[in-house]
Amino acid sequence: MAEIIVETRDLEKVYTIGERRQQILKDINLQIFAGEFVVVSGSSGSGKTTLLSILSGIDRPTSGSILLSGRDITGMSEDELAPVRNVETGFVFQAFHLVPSLTALENVMFPAELRRDPQARVKAEELLRRVGLWERRSSYPQQLSGGEKQRTAICRALINHPKIVFADEPTGNLDSENSRGIVELLAELHREEKTTLVLATHSPEIAARADRVIVLRDGCIVEKGEGADA
Ligand SMILES: Nc1ncnc2c1ncn2[C@@H]1O[C@H](COP(=O)(O)OP(=O)(O)O)[C@@H](O)[C@H]1O
Ligand SMILES: [Mg+2]
């Protein structure tokens, strides 16, 4: 049986605004296996972003627990969580979230410099070369196209060789040609590096490429697909 990278137990997320209590995620029990490409689908507002944020340690659940590589991250302090997020996971956002005052190369190096990796620059250069951005390494985010920004963000997510990469609608802000390029790149990285990839999208074309599709509706998993041990 394949190694379990992420496991959740009875995960729940509730927002209380004034008197109103809104249940965003409910009864989320899932396992993601090493090397899997899992798509999380579901209509807008179904809870995809909230789920990915919680699985990656960016956000916290109201109740239930998350195990990342067998370690319970649910009760960790911010100080304990920060290195887990930085080294064990990579996150690709719909809106890129690059640092505007840093060049493409510096953006990619950043997570490696946080952990004082002496190879930060060499690794960042290699990644940018690989995604066809070598010529653009000294450009600032505002000088890059959407597709170039997202390729830079993918390099940044990969620089610390995370066990798992989360991508939240990574093509949501791109035209169809750039979208195809980004999906190809993510699929190639998954195939060649055996990176575990959890990608939220409502694109059926992307979902068709996944090993498994998890469908959310109103915060509940209504369709789980088959796990690696099924
Ligand atoms: N910080 C927040 N406070 C209150 N409600 C929120 C917050 N973030 C998300 N929501 C609500 O949670 C639900 C799920 O949102 P989200 O996870 O962004 O869904 P999706 O990514 O599938 O579109 C939505 O109804 C949204 O309005
Ligand atoms: Mg979302």
Side-chain angles (χ1 to χ4, degrees), residues 81-105:
L81 255 181
V84 173
R85 273 199 306 253
N86 186 40
V87 177
E88 298 200 16
T89 73
F91 209 105
V92 179
F93 302 88
Q94 177 172 352
F96 322 124
H97 292 204
L98 296 171
V99 180
S101 59
L102 300 181
T103 64
L105 180 67

Side-chain angles (χ1 to χ4, degrees), residues 44-45 47-50 94 168-169 200:
S44 183
K48 301 182 297 297
T49 296
T50 308
Q94 177 172 352
D168 187 10
E169 309 215 28

Side-chain angles (χ1 to χ4, degrees), residues 67-115:
L67 289 106
L68 203 59
S69 307
R71 240 178 349 152
D72 194 333
I73 64 164
T74 326
M76 281 189 181
S77 68
E78 259 318 293
D79 285 349
E80 289 170 315
L81 255 181
V84 173
R85 273 199 306 253
N86 186 40
V87 177
E88 298 200 16
T89 73
F91 209 105
V92 179
F93 302 88
Q94 177 172 352
F96 322 124
H97 292 204
L98 296 171
V99 180
S101 59
L102 300 181
T103 64
L105 180 67
E106 289 163 348
N107 266 283
V108 176
M109 286 169 64
F110 190 67
E113 290 196 309
L114 275 183
R115 60 189 294 221

Side-chain angles (χ1 to χ4, degrees), residues 50 137 175 216:
T50 308
R137 65 192 180 285
D175 60 36
L216 283 178

